[in-house]
Coordinates of all heavy atoms in Angstrom, one line a residue:
M5 N 172.1 -61.8 63.9 CA 171.8 -61.3 62.7 C 171.3 -59.8 62.9 O 170.3 -59.5 63.6 CB 170.7 -62.1 62.0 CG 170.1 -61.5 60.8 SD 168.6 -62.2 60.0 CE 169.1 -64.0 60.1
P6 N 172.0 -58.8 62.2 CA 171.5 -57.4 62.3 C 170.2 -57.2 61.8 O 169.7 -57.9 60.8 CB 172.6 -56.6 61.5 CG 173.7 -57.6 61.3 CD 173.2 -59.0 61.4
H7 N 169.5 -56.2 62.3 CA 168.1 -55.8 61.9 C 168.1 -54.3 61.9 O 168.4 -53.6 62.9 CB 167.2 -56.5 62.8 CG 165.7 -56.0 62.7 ND1 165.0 -56.4 61.6 CD2 165.0 -55.1 63.3 CE1 163.8 -55.8 61.6 NE2 163.8 -55.0 62.7
T8 N 167.5 -53.7 60.9 CA 167.3 -52.3 60.8 C 165.8 -52.1 60.2 O 165.5 -52.8 59.3 CB 168.3 -51.6 59.8 OG1 169.5 -51.9 60.3 CG2 168.1 -50.1 59.8
A9 N 165.1 -51.2 60.9 CA 163.8 -50.8 60.5 C 163.6 -49.3 60.6 O 164.2 -48.7 61.5 CB 162.8 -51.7 61.4
E10 N 162.7 -48.9 59.8 CA 162.3 -47.4 60.0 C 160.7 -47.4 60.2 O 160.0 -47.9 59.3 CB 162.7 -46.6 58.8 CG 162.3 -45.2 58.9 CD 162.7 -44.4 57.7 OE1 163.8 -44.7 57.2 OE2 162.0 -43.4 57.5
W11 N 160.3 -46.9 61.3 CA 158.8 -46.7 61.5 C 158.6 -45.2 61.4 O 159.3 -44.3 62.0 CB 158.5 -47.2 62.9 CG 158.6 -48.7 63.0 CD1 158.9 -49.6 62.1 CD2 158.3 -49.5 64.2 NE1 158.9 -50.9 62.6 CE2 158.5 -50.8 63.9 CE3 158.0 -49.1 65.4 CZ2 158.3 -51.8 64.8 CZ3 157.8 -50.1 66.4 CH2 158.0 -51.5 66.1
K12 N 157.4 -44.8 60.9 CA 157.0 -43.4 60.8 C 156.1 -43.1 61.8 O 155.1 -43.8 62.1 CB 156.5 -43.2 59.4 CG 157.6 -43.5 58.3 CD 157.1 -43.0 57.0 CE 158.0 -43.4 55.8 NZ 159.4 -43.2 56.0
V13 N 156.2 -41.9 62.4 CA 155.3 -41.4 63.4 C 154.7 -40.1 63.0 O 155.5 -39.2 62.5 CB 156.0 -41.3 64.8 CG1 155.0 -40.8 65.8 CG2 156.6 -42.6 65.2
R14 N 153.4 -39.9 63.1 CA 152.7 -38.6 62.8 C 152.0 -38.2 64.0 O 151.3 -39.0 64.7 CB 151.8 -38.7 61.6 CG 152.6 -38.9 60.3 CD 151.6 -38.9 59.1 NE 150.4 -39.6 59.2 CZ 150.2 -40.9 59.0 NH1 151.3 -41.6 58.7 NH2 149.0 -41.5 59.2
L15 N 152.1 -37.0 64.5 CA 151.4 -36.5 65.7 C 150.5 -35.3 65.2 O 150.9 -34.3 64.6 CB 152.5 -36.0 66.7 CG 151.9 -35.3 67.9 CD1 151.1 -36.3 68.8 CD2 153.0 -34.7 68.7
H16 N 149.2 -35.5 65.6 CA 148.2 -34.6 65.2 C 147.7 -33.9 66.4 O 147.3 -34.6 67.4 CB 147.1 -35.2 64.3 CG 147.5 -35.9 63.2 ND1 147.8 -35.4 62.0 CD2 147.8 -37.2 63.1 CE1 148.2 -36.3 61.1 NE2 148.3 -37.4 61.8
L17 N 147.6 -32.6 66.6 CA 147.1 -31.8 67.6 C 145.9 -31.0 67.3 O 145.9 -30.4 66.2 CB 148.1 -31.0 68.3 CG 149.4 -31.7 68.9 CD1 150.5 -30.7 69.0 CD2 149.0 -32.4 70.1
F18 N 144.8 -31.0 68.0 CA 143.6 -30.3 67.8 C 143.2 -29.6 69.1 O 143.1 -30.2 70.2 CB 142.5 -31.2 67.4 CG 142.8 -32.2 66.4 CD1 143.4 -33.4 66.7 CD2 142.8 -31.8 65.0 CE1 143.8 -34.3 65.7 CE2 143.1 -32.8 64.0 CZ 143.6 -34.0 64.4
E19 N 143.0 -28.2 69.1 CA 142.5 -27.5 70.3 C 141.2 -27.0 69.9 O 141.0 -26.4 68.8 CB 143.4 -26.4 70.7 CG 143.0 -25.7 72.0 CD 143.9 -24.7 72.5 OE1 145.0 -24.5 71.8 OE2 143.6 -24.1 73.4
D20 N 140.2 -27.1 70.8 CA 138.8 -26.5 70.6 C 138.7 -25.3 71.4 O 139.6 -24.9 72.1 CB 137.7 -27.5 70.9 CG 137.8 -28.1 72.3 OD1 138.2 -27.3 73.2 OD2 137.2 -29.1 72.5
D21 N 137.6 -24.6 71.2 CA 137.3 -23.3 71.8 C 137.2 -23.3 73.4 O 137.4 -22.3 74.0 CB 136.0 -22.7 71.3 CG 136.2 -22.3 69.8 OD1 137.3 -22.1 69.4 OD2 135.1 -22.2 69.1
D22 N 137.0 -24.5 73.9 CA 136.8 -24.6 75.4 C 138.1 -24.9 76.1 O 138.1 -25.2 77.4 CB 135.7 -25.5 75.8 CG 136.0 -27.0 75.5 OD1 137.0 -27.3 74.9 OD2 135.2 -27.8 76.0
G23 N 139.2 -24.9 75.4 CA 140.5 -25.2 76.0 C 141.0 -26.6 76.1 O 141.8 -27.0 76.9
T24 N 140.2 -27.5 75.4 CA 140.6 -28.9 75.3 C 141.5 -29.1 74.2 O 141.2 -28.8 73.0 CB 139.4 -29.8 75.2 OG1 138.6 -29.5 76.5 CG2 139.7 -31.3 75.2
T25 N 142.7 -29.8 74.4 CA 143.6 -30.2 73.4 C 143.5 -31.8 73.3 O 143.6 -32.4 74.3 CB 145.0 -29.8 73.7 OG1 145.1 -28.4 73.8 CG2 145.9 -30.1 72.5
K26 N 143.4 -32.2 72.0 CA 143.4 -33.6 71.7 C 144.6 -33.9 70.9 O 145.0 -33.1 70.0 CB 142.1 -34.1 71.0 CG 140.9 -33.9 71.8 CD 139.6 -34.3 71.2 CE 138.5 -34.1 72.1 NZ 137.2 -34.5 71.4
A27 N 145.3 -35.1 71.1 CA 146.4 -35.5 70.3 C 146.1 -37.0 69.8 O 145.6 -37.8 70.6 CB 147.7 -35.4 71.1
H28 N 146.5 -37.1 68.6 CA 146.5 -38.5 68.0 C 147.9 -38.7 67.5 O 148.4 -37.9 66.7 CB 145.5 -38.7 66.8 CG 144.1 -38.4 67.2 ND1 143.2 -37.9 66.3 CD2 143.4 -38.3 68.4 CE1 142.0 -37.8 66.9 NE2 142.2 -38.0 68.2
V29 N 148.6 -39.8 67.9 CA 149.9 -40.1 67.4 C 149.7 -41.4 66.6 O 149.2 -42.4 67.2 CB 151.0 -40.2 68.5 CG1 150.7 -41.2 69.5 CG2 152.3 -40.4 67.8
V30 N 150.2 -41.4 65.4 CA 150.0 -42.6 64.5 C 151.4 -43.2 64.2 O 152.3 -42.5 63.7 CB 149.3 -42.2 63.2 CG1 149.1 -43.4 62.3 CG2 147.9 -41.5 63.5
L31 N 151.5 -44.4 64.6 CA 152.7 -45.2 64.2 C 152.4 -46.1 63.1 O 151.6 -46.9 63.1 CB 153.2 -45.9 65.5 CG 154.3 -47.0 65.2 CD1 155.6 -46.1 64.9 CD2 154.6 -47.9 66.5
D32 N 153.3 -45.9 62.1 CA 153.1 -46.8 60.9 C 154.4 -47.7 60.8 O 155.5 -47.1 60.5 CB 153.0 -45.9 59.6 CG 152.8 -46.7 58.3 OD1 152.9 -48.0 58.4 OD2 152.6 -46.1 57.3
T33 N 154.3 -49.0 61.0 CA 155.4 -49.8 60.9 C 155.7 -50.4 59.5 O 156.7 -51.1 59.3 CB 155.3 -51.0 61.8 OG1 154.3 -51.9 61.3 CG2 155.1 -50.5 63.2
G34 N 154.9 -50.0 58.5 CA 154.9 -50.5 57.2 C 154.0 -51.7 57.0 O 153.5 -52.0 55.8
T35 N 153.7 -52.4 58.1 CA 152.7 -53.5 58.0 C 151.6 -53.3 59.0 O 150.5 -53.9 58.8 CB 153.4 -54.9 58.5 OG1 154.0 -54.8 59.7 CG2 154.5 -55.2 57.3
T36 N 151.8 -52.4 60.0 CA 150.7 -52.2 61.0 C 150.7 -50.7 61.3 O 151.7 -50.0 61.3 CB 151.1 -53.0 62.3 OG1 151.2 -54.4 62.0 CG2 150.0 -52.7 63.4
A37 N 149.5 -50.2 61.6 CA 149.3 -48.8 62.1 C 148.6 -48.9 63.4 O 147.7 -49.5 63.6 CB 148.5 -48.0 61.0
L38 N 149.2 -48.2 64.4 CA 148.6 -48.0 65.7 C 148.4 -46.5 66.0 O 149.2 -45.8 65.6 CB 149.6 -48.6 66.7 CG 150.1 -50.0 66.7 CD1 151.0 -50.4 67.7 CD2 148.7 -50.9 67.0
T39 N 147.3 -46.2 66.8 CA 147.1 -44.9 67.1 C 147.0 -44.7 68.6 O 146.2 -45.4 69.2 CB 145.7 -44.5 66.5 OG1 145.9 -44.6 65.0 CG2 145.4 -43.0 66.7
G40 N 147.7 -43.7 69.2 CA 147.6 -43.4 70.5 C 146.8 -42.1 70.7 O 146.8 -41.3 69.8
H41 N 146.0 -42.0 71.8 CA 145.2 -40.9 72.0 C 145.5 -40.2 73.4 O 145.8 -40.9 74.3 CB 143.7 -41.3 72.0 CG 143.3 -41.9 70.8 ND1 142.9 -41.2 69.6 CD2 143.2 -43.2 70.4 CE1 142.6 -42.1 68.7 NE2 142.7 -43.4 69.2
G42 N 145.4 -38.9 73.4 CA 145.7 -38.2 74.6 C 144.9 -36.8 74.6 O 144.7 -36.3 73.5
T43 N 144.5 -36.4 75.8 CA 143.8 -35.1 75.9 C 144.4 -34.3 77.0 O 145.0 -34.8 77.9 CB 142.3 -35.2 76.1 OG1 142.1 -36.0 77.4 CG2 141.7 -36.0 75.0
A44 N 144.2 -33.0 77.0 CA 144.5 -32.1 78.0 C 143.4 -31.0 78.1 O 142.9 -30.7 77.1 CB 145.9 -31.5 77.8
H45 N 143.1 -30.6 79.3 CA 142.0 -29.7 79.5 C 142.6 -28.5 80.3 O 143.2 -28.6 81.4 CB 140.8 -30.3 80.4 CG 140.4 -31.5 79.7 ND1 139.5 -31.6 78.7 CD2 140.6 -32.9 80.1 CE1 139.2 -32.9 78.4 NE2 139.9 -33.6 79.2
C46 N 142.4 -27.3 79.8 CA 142.8 -26.1 80.5 C 141.7 -25.7 81.6 O 140.5 -25.7 81.2 CB 142.9 -25.0 79.5 SG 143.5 -23.4 80.2
H47 N 142.1 -25.6 82.8 CA 141.1 -25.1 83.9 C 140.6 -23.8 83.6 O 141.5 -22.9 83.2 CB 141.8 -25.3 85.2 CG 141.0 -25.1 86.3 ND1 140.6 -23.8 86.9 CD2 140.3 -26.0 87.1 CE1 139.7 -23.9 87.8 NE2 139.6 -25.3 88.1
P48 N 139.4 -23.5 83.7 CA 138.9 -22.2 83.4 C 139.6 -21.0 84.1 O 139.7 -19.9 83.6 CB 137.4 -22.2 83.8 CG 137.1 -23.7 83.8 CD 138.4 -24.4 84.2
A49 N 140.1 -21.3 85.3 CA 140.9 -20.2 86.1 C 142.2 -20.0 85.6 O 142.9 -19.0 85.9 CB 140.8 -20.6 87.5
D50 N 142.9 -20.9 84.8 CA 144.2 -20.8 84.3 C 144.3 -20.0 83.0 O 143.3 -20.0 82.2 CB 144.8 -22.2 84.2 CG 144.9 -22.9 85.4 OD1 145.0 -22.3 86.6 OD2 145.1 -24.2 85.5
A51 N 145.5 -19.5 82.7 CA 145.7 -18.9 81.5 C 145.8 -19.9 80.4 O 146.3 -21.1 80.7 CB 147.0 -18.1 81.6
N52 N 145.2 -19.7 79.2 CA 145.3 -20.6 78.2 C 146.6 -20.5 77.4 O 146.8 -19.5 76.7 CB 144.1 -20.4 77.2 CG 144.0 -21.4 76.1 OD1 144.7 -22.4 76.2 ND2 143.1 -21.2 75.1
V53 N 147.5 -21.5 77.7 CA 148.8 -21.5 77.0 C 148.8 -22.8 76.2 O 148.9 -23.8 76.6 CB 149.9 -21.6 78.1 CG1 151.3 -21.6 77.4 CG2 149.8 -20.4 79.1
P54 N 148.5 -22.5 74.8 CA 148.4 -23.6 74.0 C 149.6 -24.7 74.0 O 149.4 -25.9 73.8 CB 148.3 -23.0 72.6 CG 147.7 -21.8 72.9 CD 148.3 -21.3 74.1
E55 N 150.8 -24.2 74.2 CA 152.0 -25.0 74.1 C 151.9 -26.1 75.3 O 152.3 -27.2 75.1 CB 153.3 -24.2 74.2 CG 153.6 -23.4 73.1 CD 152.8 -22.0 73.2 OE1 152.2 -21.6 74.2 OE2 152.9 -21.3 72.0
I56 N 151.4 -25.6 76.4 CA 151.3 -26.6 77.6 C 150.2 -27.7 77.3 O 150.5 -28.8 77.5 CB 150.9 -25.9 78.9 CG1 152.1 -24.9 79.2 CG2 150.6 -26.8 80.0 CD1 151.9 -24.0 80.4
G57 N 149.1 -27.3 76.7 CA 148.1 -28.3 76.3 C 148.7 -29.2 75.3 O 148.4 -30.4 75.3
D58 N 149.5 -28.6 74.3 CA 150.0 -29.6 73.3 C 151.0 -30.6 73.9 O 151.0 -31.7 73.6 CB 150.8 -28.7 72.3 CG 149.9 -27.9 71.4 OD1 148.7 -28.0 71.4 OD2 150.5 -27.0 70.7
E59 N 151.8 -30.1 74.9 CA 152.7 -31.0 75.5 C 152.1 -32.1 76.3 O 152.5 -33.3 76.2 CB 153.7 -30.1 76.4 CG 154.6 -29.2 75.7 CD 155.2 -28.2 76.5 OE1 154.9 -28.0 77.7 OE2 156.1 -27.5 76.0
L60 N 151.1 -31.7 77.1 CA 150.4 -32.7 77.9 C 149.6 -33.7 77.0 O 149.8 -34.9 77.2 CB 149.4 -32.0 78.8 CG 150.0 -31.3 80.0 CD1 149.0 -30.4 80.7 CD2 150.6 -32.3 81.0
A61 N 148.9 -33.2 76.0 CA 148.1 -34.1 75.2 C 149.0 -35.0 74.3 O 148.8 -36.2 74.2 CB 147.2 -33.3 74.2
A62 N 150.1 -34.5 73.8 CA 151.0 -35.2 73.0 C 151.8 -36.3 73.9 O 151.8 -37.4 73.5 CB 152.1 -34.4 72.4
G63 N 152.1 -36.0 75.0 CA 152.8 -36.9 75.9 C 151.8 -38.0 76.4 O 152.2 -39.2 76.4
R64 N 150.6 -37.6 76.6 CA 149.6 -38.7 77.0 C 149.3 -39.6 75.8 O 149.2 -40.8 75.9 CB 148.3 -38.0 77.5 CG 148.6 -37.4 78.9 CD 147.4 -36.5 79.3 NE 147.8 -36.0 80.6 CZ 147.1 -34.9 81.2 NH1 146.2 -34.3 80.5 NH2 147.5 -34.5 82.3
A65 N 149.3 -39.1 74.6 CA 149.1 -39.9 73.4 C 150.2 -40.8 73.2 O 150.1 -42.0 72.9 CB 148.8 -39.0 72.2
M66 N 151.4 -40.4 73.4 CA 152.6 -41.2 73.2 C 152.7 -42.3 74.3 O 153.2 -43.4 74.0 CB 153.9 -40.4 73.1 CG 154.1 -39.6 71.9 SD 155.6 -38.8 71.7 CE 155.2 -37.1 72.2
E67 N 152.2 -41.9 75.5 CA 152.3 -42.9 76.6 C 151.2 -44.0 76.2 O 151.5 -45.2 76.4 CB 151.9 -42.2 77.9 CG 151.9 -43.1 79.1 CD 151.6 -42.2 80.3 OE1 150.5 -41.6 80.5 OE2 152.5 -42.3 81.3
N68 N 150.1 -43.6 75.7 CA 149.1 -44.6 75.3 C 149.5 -45.5 74.2 O 149.4 -46.7 74.2 CB 147.8 -43.9 74.9 CG 146.7 -44.8 74.3 OD1 146.5 -44.8 73.2 ND2 146.1 -45.5 75.2
L69 N 150.3 -44.9 73.2 CA 150.9 -45.7 72.2 C 152.0 -46.7 72.7 O 152.0 -47.9 72.4 CB 151.5 -44.8 71.1 CG 152.2 -45.5 69.9 CD1 151.2 -46.4 69.1 CD2 152.8 -44.4 69.0
A70 N 152.8 -46.1 73.6 CA 153.7 -47.0 74.2 C 153.2 -48.1 74.9 O 153.7 -49.3 74.8 CB 154.7 -46.1 75.2
Q71 N 152.1 -48.0 75.6 CA 151.5 -49.1 76.3 C 150.9 -50.1 75.4 O 151.0 -51.4 75.6 CB 150.3 -48.5 77.3 CG 149.8 -49.7 78.2 CD 150.9 -50.3 79.1 OE1 151.5 -49.7 79.8 NE2 151.1 -51.6 79.0
Q72 N 150.4 -49.7 74.2 CA 149.9 -50.6 73.2 C 151.0 -51.4 72.7 O 150.9 -52.6 72.5 CB 149.2 -49.8 72.1 CG 148.0 -49.1 72.4 CD 147.4 -48.4 71.2 OE1 147.3 -48.9 70.1 NE2 147.1 -47.1 71.4
L73 N 152.2 -50.8 72.4 CA 153.4 -51.5 71.9 C 153.9 -52.6 72.8 O 154.2 -53.7 72.5 CB 154.5 -50.6 71.6 CG 154.4 -49.7 70.3 CD1 155.3 -48.6 70.2 CD2 154.4 -50.7 69.0
L74 N 153.9 -52.2 74.2 CA 154.3 -53.1 75.2 C 153.3 -54.3 75.3 O 153.8 -55.5 75.5 CB 154.5 -52.5 76.6 CG 155.6 -51.4 76.6 CD1 155.5 -50.6 78.0 CD2 157.0 -52.2 76.6
D75 N 152.1 -54.1 75.3 CA 151.1 -55.1 75.3 C 151.2 -56.1 74.1 O 151.2 -57.3 74.3 CB 149.6 -54.5 75.3 CG 149.3 -53.8 76.7 OD1 150.1 -54.0 77.6 OD2 148.3 -53.0 76.6
I76 N 151.4 -55.6 72.9 CA 151.7 -56.4 71.7 C 152.9 -57.2 71.9 O 152.9 -58.4 71.6 CB 151.7 -55.5 70.5 CG1 150.3 -54.9 70.2 CG2 152.3 -56.2 69.3 CD1 150.4 -53.8 69.1
A77 N 154.0 -56.7 72.4 CA 155.2 -57.3 72.5 C 155.1 -58.5 73.6 O 155.5 -59.6 73.4 CB 156.3 -56.4 73.1
E78 N 154.4 -58.2 74.6 CA 154.1 -59.3 75.6 C 153.3 -60.4 75.0 O 153.6 -61.6 75.2 CB 153.3 -58.8 76.8 CG 154.2 -58.0 77.8 CD 153.5 -57.5 79.0 OE1 152.3 -57.9 79.2 OE2 154.0 -56.7 79.8
R79 N 152.2 -60.1 74.2 CA 151.4 -61.2 73.5 C 152.4 -62.0 72.6 O 152.2 -63.2 72.4 CB 150.3 -60.5 72.8 CG 149.2 -60.2 73.8 CD 147.8 -59.9 73.0 NE 147.9 -58.9 72.0 CZ 147.7 -57.6 72.2 NH1 147.4 -57.2 73.5 NH2 147.8 -56.7 71.2
D80 N 153.3 -61.2 71.9 CA 154.1 -61.9 70.9 C 155.0 -62.9 71.6 O 155.3 -64.0 71.1 CB 154.9 -60.9 70.1 CG 154.1 -60.2 69.1 OD1 152.9 -60.7 68.8 OD2 154.5 -59.2 68.5
I81 N 155.6 -62.4 72.8 CA 156.5 -63.3 73.6 C 155.7 -64.5 74.1 O 156.3 -65.6 73.9 CB 157.0 -62.4 74.7 CG1 158.0 -61.4 74.3 CG2 157.8 -63.4 75.8 CD1 158.4 -60.3 75.4
E82 N 154.5 -64.3 74.5 CA 153.7 -65.5 75.0 C 153.4 -66.4 73.8 O 153.4 -67.7 74.0 CB 152.4 -64.9 75.6 CG 152.6 -64.4 77.0 CD 151.3 -63.7 77.5 OE1 150.2 -63.7 76.8 OE2 151.4 -63.3 78.7
G83 N 153.3 -65.8 72.6 CA 153.0 -66.6 71.4 C 154.2 -67.5 71.0 O 154.0 -68.5 70.3
M84 N 155.3 -67.1 71.6 CA 156.6 -67.9 71.3 C 156.7 -69.1 72.3 O 157.7 -69.8 72.4 CB 157.9 -67.0 71.5 CG 157.9 -65.8 70.5 SD 158.1 -66.4 68.7 CE 159.8 -67.0 68.8
G85 N 155.7 -69.2 73.2 CA 155.7 -70.3 74.1 C 156.3 -70.0 75.5 O 156.4 -70.8 76.3
V86 N 156.6 -68.7 75.6 CA 157.1 -68.3 76.9 C 155.9 -67.9 77.8 O 155.1 -67.2 77.5 CB 158.1 -67.2 76.7 CG1 158.6 -66.6 78.1 CG2 159.2 -67.4 75.7
T87 N 156.0 -68.6 79.1 CA 154.9 -68.4 80.0 C 155.1 -67.0 80.7 O 156.2 -66.5 80.9 CB 154.8 -69.4 81.1 OG1 156.1 -69.5 81.8 CG2 154.5 -70.8 80.4
R88 N 154.1 -66.3 81.1 CA 154.1 -65.0 81.7 C 154.5 -65.3 83.2 O 154.0 -66.1 83.8 CB 152.7 -64.4 81.7 CG 152.7 -63.0 82.3 CD 151.2 -62.5 82.3 NE 150.8 -62.3 80.9 CZ 150.6 -61.0 80.5 NH1 150.6 -60.0 81.3 NH2 150.2 -60.8 79.2
P89 N 155.4 -64.4 83.7 CA 155.8 -64.6 85.1 C 154.7 -64.2 86.0 O 153.8 -63.4 85.6 CB 157.0 -63.6 85.1 CG 156.9 -62.7 84.0 CD 156.1 -63.4 83.0
S90 N 154.7 -64.6 87.2 CA 153.7 -64.3 88.2 C 153.6 -62.9 88.6 O 152.7 -62.3 88.9 CB 153.9 -65.2 89.5 OG 155.2 -64.9 90.0
T91 N 154.8 -62.2 88.5 CA 154.9 -60.7 88.7 C 155.4 -60.1 87.4 O 156.2 -60.7 86.6 CB 155.9 -60.4 89.8 OG1 157.2 -60.9 89.6 CG2 155.4 -60.9 91.2
R92 N 154.9 -58.9 87.1 CA 155.2 -58.3 85.9 C 156.6 -57.8 85.9 O 157.1 -57.1 86.8 CB 154.3 -57.0 85.6 CG 154.5 -56.3 84.2 CD 153.6 -55.3 84.0 NE 153.9 -54.6 82.8 CZ 153.1 -54.5 81.8 NH1 151.9 -55.1 81.9 NH2 153.5 -53.9 80.8
Q93 N 157.3 -58.1 84.9 CA 158.7 -57.7 84.8 C 158.8 -56.8 83.5 O 158.1 -56.7 82.6 CB 159.6 -58.9 84.4 CG 159.7 -59.9 85.5 CD 160.5 -61.1 85.2 OE1 160.8 -61.4 84.0 NE2 160.8 -61.9 86.2
V94 N 159.8 -55.9 83.6 CA 160.0 -54.9 82.5 C 160.5 -55.6 81.3 O 161.5 -56.4 81.4 CB 161.0 -53.7 83.0 CG1 161.3 -52.8 81.9 CG2 160.4 -53.0 84.2
T95 N 160.0 -55.4 80.2 CA 160.4 -55.9 78.9 C 161.4 -55.0 78.2 O 161.2 -53.9 78.2 CB 159.2 -56.1 78.0 OG1 158.2 -57.0 78.6 CG2 159.7 -56.8 76.6
G96 N 162.5 -55.5 77.8 CA 163.5 -54.7 77.1 C 164.5 -54.1 78.0 O 164.9 -54.6 79.1
W97 N 165.2 -53.0 77.6 CA 166.3 -52.4 78.3 C 165.7 -51.5 79.4 O 164.7 -50.9 79.3 CB 167.1 -51.5 77.3 CG 167.7 -52.2 76.3 CD1 168.9 -52.9 76.3 CD2 167.2 -52.5 74.9 NE1 169.2 -53.5 75.1 CE2 168.2 -53.2 74.2 CE3 166.1 -52.0 74.2 CZ2 168.0 -53.6 72.9 CZ3 166.0 -52.3 72.9 CH2 166.9 -53.1 72.3
P98 N 166.5 -51.5 80.5 CA 166.1 -50.7 81.6 C 166.3 -49.2 81.3 O 167.0 -48.9 80.4 CB 167.1 -51.1 82.7 CG 168.2 -51.7 82.1 CD 167.8 -52.3 80.8
T99 N 165.4 -48.4 81.9 CA 165.4 -47.0 81.6 C 166.2 -46.2 82.7 O 166.4 -46.6 83.7 CB 164.0 -46.3 81.4 OG1 163.3 -46.7 82.7 CG2 163.3 -46.9 80.3

């Protein structure tokens, strides 16, 4: 049976005066909202390049969100009566 869904993602970036960039990525599935968080810190000896801080913080926030989704999927699979393997296997398509 075919399935189509559209999930909305919003990414918010905030940089403070000390060179710390924070990212919040919000995933809205229509029934659930999840938020991933990430930060990046500019070393005082490095040049402050906001784009790099944005990339690092956003990537870390998305990685955090991805782990939350994988954890939820694993719990849902277990809820279907499937036992967890003794070693962790990759869920879904190989990358």
Side-chain angles (χ1 to χ4, degrees):
M5 170 186 317
H7 172 76
T8 303
E10 180 177 331
W11 292 357
K12 298 186 186 318
V13 177
R14 290 184 318 274
L15 177 64
H16 307 275
L17 297 163
F18 313 91
E19 184 176 358
D20 60 23
D21 292 334
D22 69 353
T24 298
T25 302
K26 295 181 181 179
H28 300 157
V29 60
V30 179
L31 171 67
D32 181 358
T33 69
T35 58
T36 304
L38 297 172
T39 303
H41 302 277
T43 60
H45 306 280
C46 182
H47 189 278
D50 292 340
N52 186 9
V53 181
E55 293 82 12
I56 295 172
D58 291 350
E59 293 163 351
L60 286 169
R64 290 170 179 161
M66 287 188 261
E67 184 175 56
N68 177 253
L69 178 63
Q71 188 58 58
Q72 290 179 54
L73 285 168
L74 290 170
D75 291 343
I76 290 168
E78 284 184 8
R79 285 194 303 272
D80 289 346
I81 291 168
E82 288 174 353
M84 300 292 294
V86 178
T87 58
R88 183 183 291 246
S90 59
T91 59
R92 183 176 176 120
Q93 296 175 347
V94 176
T95 303
W97 295 278
T99 57

